[in-house]
Amino acid sequence: MASGRARCTRKLRSWVVEQVESGQFPGVCWDDEPAKTMFRIPWKHAGKQDFREDQDALFFKAWAVFKGKYKEGDTRGPAVWKTRLRCALNKSPEFKEVPERGRMDVAEPYKVYRLLPPGTLPAQPGTQKSSKRHRSSVSPQREEEEETVKSCTLSLSCLQDPFSNEEARAAGRAGHLDSGSCSSSPDPQEGADSTEAQEDQTEHLLPQNPDYSLLLTFIYSGRVVDQRQVDSLDCRLVAEASSSESTITQVIFPKPDPGEPSQRLLSQLEKGILVASNSRGVFVQRLCPIPISWNAPQAPPGPGPHLLPSNKCMELFKTACFCRDFDRYSQGLGPPPKSQVTLHFWEESPGPSHTLQNPITVQMEQAFARHLLKETPEEQRAPLFLM
């Protein structure tokens, strides 16, 4: 039976090349003429005072129209259009962003994407064969540990752009990320578009080049024993360094004094704790058998304690919520926001009482948030959000 609407079969690559060549979109052009392997897309935030929808959002609107997603009078408009094209480019194996050529710190910001050879695949067959040979040479226990860390690392890393692949998109819709909320949650039916649009609309509240590195404070029996700064996207907190070939950064707990309660607890840490810090917030995943409770600005109501479930990624800090609260604070409309996530490690005390004690505490904080709250003079806070 004939459909009332012709089905479009052109690929994203063909559409993008055609639009860049047309010259009808301001700022959309080749970045490496005459090679024509890289192109620019204007990337101004919709929250900017000088944002011009008829120019700065025209390319994104054209993609929404082409895909049949454009709706007249849609109040979400430019942010959602941009989200749809960004997700399409990130999911396609034929495009790759080139951050070093883009400029996001100028009056007319833009991103640069590279056209990859048609048919490019995310992983080559040789990689899988090599992986199989490697597995055959390790013990089942080691293989299981590597697979656990590998899968968890992937789940945390993809949170930087959580809907850049179909697997992560499905996880987001299923509600696998258990998080606190600072405002009404988006309709689950809206999926990735609503989440990404919300980020796009609040991103203009951030200072330029925010530092998402993780500041860690280790506390044993109420005493600060060490402080670290982790610059990588994600890390794994462990008691002992592992020889695993995983590329994730390992952060070793400080060595306790002999006989301290923390020494007994660290011996049970096993696979440790996975932590990610990025533009969305701070995420934690417990892989060890130790009971761990948490406290954070977006903790759910109730007395607690709030316990981390096993092998489940939890969003404990929302960067967007912090920015909105700091914006209100800078205007004198609210108290200073909290920025710290605290993990409490528990064990039963030896002896007949079996009472719970908390010999280890780890505090986490994004570097830019601490800088805003503690190092920026009061009179300079409001201008940070007027860019």
Side-chain angles (χ1 to χ4, degrees), residues 166-218:
E166 290 298 331
E167 182 179 356
R169 183 193 297 263
R173 286 177 175 171
H176 289 182
L177 294 182
D178 186 358
S179 61
S181 62
C182 62
S183 62
S184 58
S185 300
D187 186 342
Q189 297 295 329
E190 296 175 4
D193 291 340
S194 177
T195 303
E196 292 286 354
Q198 184 184 35
E199 291 178 3
D200 220 30
Q201 291 165 348
T202 59
E203 193 173 345
H204 72 281
L205 295 176
L206 287 167
Q208 289 186 354
N209 303 317
D211 182 3
Y212 297 116
S213 59
L214 194 64
L215 306 177
L216 298 175
T217 300
F218 295 89

Side-chain angles (χ1 to χ4, degrees), residues 279-336:
S279 60
R280 278 189 56 182
V282 176
F283 301 80
V284 175
Q285 189 162 348
R286 177 174 68 90
L287 305 180
C288 65
I290 301 173
I292 301 175
S293 63
W294 62 275
N295 191 24
Q298 282 83 48
H306 310 297
L307 295 175
L308 288 177
S310 178
N311 296 311
K312 183 177 181 181
C313 187
M314 297 280 291
E315 182 178 10
L316 304 188
F317 175 79
K318 289 176 177 285
T319 302
C321 291
F322 170 83
C323 289
R324 285 197 291 270
D325 291 344
F326 190 89
D327 189 29
R328 288 178 53 81
Y329 168 57
S330 66
Q331 299 177 53
L333 300 176

Side-chain angles (χ1 to χ4, degrees), residues 23-51:
Q24 62 178 321
F25 300 98
V28 177
C29 60
W30 294 111
D31 191 62
D32 61 342
E33 291 251 41
K36 296 184 177 181
T37 63
M38 293 183 284
F39 59 94
R40 296 183 183 183
I41 304 178
W43 213 270
K44 184 178 292 185
H45 294 303
K48 296 286 188 180
Q49 291 184 350
D50 60 344
F51 181 81

Side-chain angles (χ1 to χ4, degrees), residues 8-232:
C8 176
T9 57
R10 286 189 297 172
K11 293 183 178 180
L12 172 64
R13 182 191 185 97
S14 301
W15 182 88
V16 167
V17 171
E18 181 180 328
Q19 308 314 311
V20 175
E21 290 279 10
S22 73
Q24 62 178 321
F25 300 98
V28 177
C29 60
W30 294 111
D31 191 62
D32 61 342
E33 291 251 41
K36 296 184 177 181
T37 63
M38 293 183 284
F39 59 94
R40 296 183 183 183
I41 304 178
W43 213 270
K44 184 178 292 185
H45 294 303
K48 296 286 188 180
Q49 291 184 350
D50 60 344
F51 181 81
R52 304 152 299 187
E53 183 173 323
D54 59 337
Q55 295 184 41
D56 300 318
L58 194 59
F59 189 62
F60 307 115
K61 180 180 179 180
W63 174 246
V65 172
F66 175 73
K67 294 293 290 181
K69 299 293 186 180
Y70 174 72
K71 296 179 181 179
E72 192 71 38
D74 188 349
T75 57
R76 298 177 299 169
V80 173
W81 303 338
K82 180 194 291 186
T83 293
R84 290 196 174 108
L85 182 58
R86 176 171 55 183
C87 289
L89 292 170
N90 287 343
K91 286 192 296 182
S92 172
E94 295 186 339
F95 294 89
K96 182 178 181 181
E97 186 182 351
V98 189
E100 61 271 18
R101 294 184 72 102
R103 292 294 302 275
M104 299 299 292
D105 57 349
V106 294
E108 300 295 330
Y110 61 87
K111 287 190 176 186
V112 174
Y113 283 86
R114 184 191 303 276
L115 285 169
L116 301 179
T120 301
L121 297 176
Q124 299 300 324
T127 305
Q128 296 178 356
K129 293 180 180 179
S130 173
S131 176
K132 289 180 180 179
R133 286 196 299 267
H134 168 70
R135 290 184 185 180
S136 64
S137 63
V138 299
S139 67
Q141 182 177 0
R142 171 72 174 278
E143 181 179 328
E144 179 184 359
E145 179 178 351
E146 290 184 4
E147 283 299 315
T148 300
V149 174
K150 179 182 178 183
S151 63
C152 293
T153 302
L154 290 175
S155 70
L156 288 170
S157 297
C158 76
L159 292 172
Q160 187 174 25
D161 188 358
F163 299 103
S164 61
N165 57 63
E166 290 298 331
E167 182 179 356
R169 183 193 297 263
R173 286 177 175 171
H176 289 182
L177 294 182
D178 186 358
S179 61
S181 62
C182 62
S183 62
S184 58
S185 300
D187 186 342
Q189 297 295 329
E190 296 175 4
D193 291 340
S194 177
T195 303
E196 292 286 354
Q198 184 184 35
E199 291 178 3
D200 220 30
Q201 291 165 348
T202 59
E203 193 173 345
H204 72 281
L205 295 176
L206 287 167
Q208 289 186 354
N209 303 317
D211 182 3
Y212 297 116
S213 59
L214 194 64
L215 306 177
L216 298 175
T217 300
F218 295 89
I219 303 172
Y220 291 173
S221 301
R223 176 174 58 91
V224 175
V225 294
D226 198 8
Q227 294 181 319
R228 315 264 184 89
Q229 181 165 350
V230 182
D231 295 321
S232 60

Side-chain angles (χ1 to χ4, degrees), residues 237-265:
L237 309 185
V238 291
E240 300 288 344
S242 169
S243 58
S244 170
E245 295 183 7
S246 171
T247 58
I248 190 170
T249 300
Q250 296 185 65
V251 178
I252 314 302
F253 274 81
K255 292 293 183 184
D257 294 333
E260 281 193 5
S262 53
Q263 187 177 43
R264 294 193 305 270
L265 201 56

